Amino acid sequence: MGLTANEFTVQFIGTLIKFAIVAGIALNIPPVMVWAERRIPAMMQRRKGPNRVGIFQFRIYGLMQSLADTIKLIFKEEVVPEGAHKAFYHLAPVFAVFPAFLIAMAIPYGPDIQVFGYTVPLSVIHVDVGFLFIFAVSSLAVYGVTIAGWASNNKYSLLGALRASGQMISYEIPLGMSLIPIVLIYGSLDLNKIVEAQTHVWTWGVFLSPISFVLFLISMFAETNRAPFDLAEAEGELVAGFHTEYTSAKFAAFFLGEYVSMFVLSCLASTVFFGGWQVPFFDVRSLDEMFGFVGVGALVGFMSLLLKAAFFMWVYVWVRWTVPRFRYDQLMNLGWKYMIPLGLINVVVTAVILAAVRF
Amino acid sequence: MNPYLPVLIVLIFGLTLGAILSGLAAFLGPRNPRPEKIEPYECGVPTVTNANEKMSVKFYLTAILFILFDIETIFLYLWAKAFPQLGWFGVSEIMVFMVILVAGYIYVVKRGALEWD
């Protein structure tokens, strides 16, 4: 081809395209998840769930219910409670939304592809300290919750925010510790390198470090304030927790943040423990040569990752309708007295075994 | 390309999206506040006192402990990255580190900082 391009142009335009795709997916996750979260329990409880709203005469299992809800929500009146701290009240939804998007961009969605002879990584934000970046940003989500609860001038909100932030920071430690053995085993902080090391099923993180996976799975639920750890919005006691006083599009913003972070953690769990974009017993990178067209392997890998993430999203709903809610002291005990010591032991044992095998 | 340039792009996008969602209702929704409507919601009972008052000291304690343990976690990441170069020396050093960390942890547990009741 006579077409030439310099590296910056390729990378920059590539970034914009990747960004548009990931942002489009991330923005469409919440409506689909809201729908799924009403249809799946309906199936479990032998009800029908929302099945009416569709496009014209096509009902498509009521999938458009979420769209209708969103439109309704946006056009609702916004009620700012009396005595609310105005600036912080309006700022909180912003903090609830952007950290989840930042992390979504750091997940490798496929193997590196070659465009005009340049290697383009298939994650929008490709920094070599991927793990540290993800932890730094995910901590920011606590601010949205805390600010929202404090600024609302509502006692339910304040209690919900305190509970939620206490729980989120407590479970961030086991979450962080659960991934240290993964760094030890694969020897990299770069998520794409970790996925590349999981070519065979028996080198998947879940088999090499099963305790890490258990710790990660439990922390995942607590980090997103989901059942069985949804004490922040225990509706029997706290109405809706930190977003009690939020209405209209601001309420939607909190839900957007929550569902995107669920998606992100599902992707992260698949990436770290289930081989990310790898397909079991098959190297997706060989597809490019087989079809003679760049990007086939990347596409298959992308689908593979989305399927794995969808499984974890389903687990979120499944667990929500299966396990009863914890009490706050039980939650804190589990986090601080069981999971943190277990995480430390896991790190030490993994290190000793690895040292014995390698050195 | 600087790998942190996309971070900037995404950050701008995220902040804009949040700001749009936060500001949207002011343009689209109706607006007719009444004294009863804008009262903080307490299940219909008239509100007593302001919400920004004393809260349990347990939450501060949790926050401080979090900072301590989170820094240890981040430190462990760097150690884990350098693990292949350090070899058995790294393992022995981290054992010393763990003993100190666990001593602190046991002290915290014994003093009842993690008791919630």
Side-chain angles (χ1 to χ4, degrees), chain A residues 47 106 124 137 159 174 195 209 249 259 262 278 293 330 348:
Chain A
R47 298 184 279 114
V124 184
V137 177
L159 284 173
V195 177
S209 187
Y259 282 109
M262 272 166 66
Q278 304 271 12
F293 188 77
Q330 292 172 330
V348 173

Side-chain angles (χ1 to χ4, degrees), chain A residues 82 85 90 155 245 336-337, chain B residues 22 38 41-42 48 105:
Chain A
E82 195 184 7
H85 301 262
H90 295 295
K155 291 170 196 93
E245 291 293 352
W336 285 95
K337 292 195 180 155
Chain B
S22 192
I38 62 168
Y41 177 75
E42 289 189 3
V48 281
Y105 176 78

Side-chain angles (χ1 to χ4, degrees), chain A residues 227-250:
Chain A
F229 305 122
D230 58 344
L231 301 122
E233 41 200 296
E235 58 273 8
E237 20 186 307
L238 290 179
V239 191
F242 57 88
H243 53 62
T244 304
E245 291 293 352
Y246 281 90
T247 48
S248 179
K250 286 199 177 64

Side-chain angles (χ1 to χ4, degrees), chain A residues 3-32:
Chain A
L3 202 60
T4 52
N6 68 5
E7 179 156 21
F8 181 81
T9 323
V10 169
Q11 298 288 6
F12 189 74
I13 293 173
T15 300
L16 290 183
I17 293 170
K18 286 179 289 182
F19 168 73
I21 292 171
V22 177
I25 288 172
L27 282 172
N28 281 297
I29 289 290
V32 175

Side-chain angles (χ1 to χ4, degrees), chain A residues 77-78, chain B residues 30-34 37-38:
Chain A
E77 179 184 356
E78 185 185 42
Chain B
R31 187 158 269 232
N32 38 6
R34 292 193 310 277
K37 195 193 266 178
I38 62 168

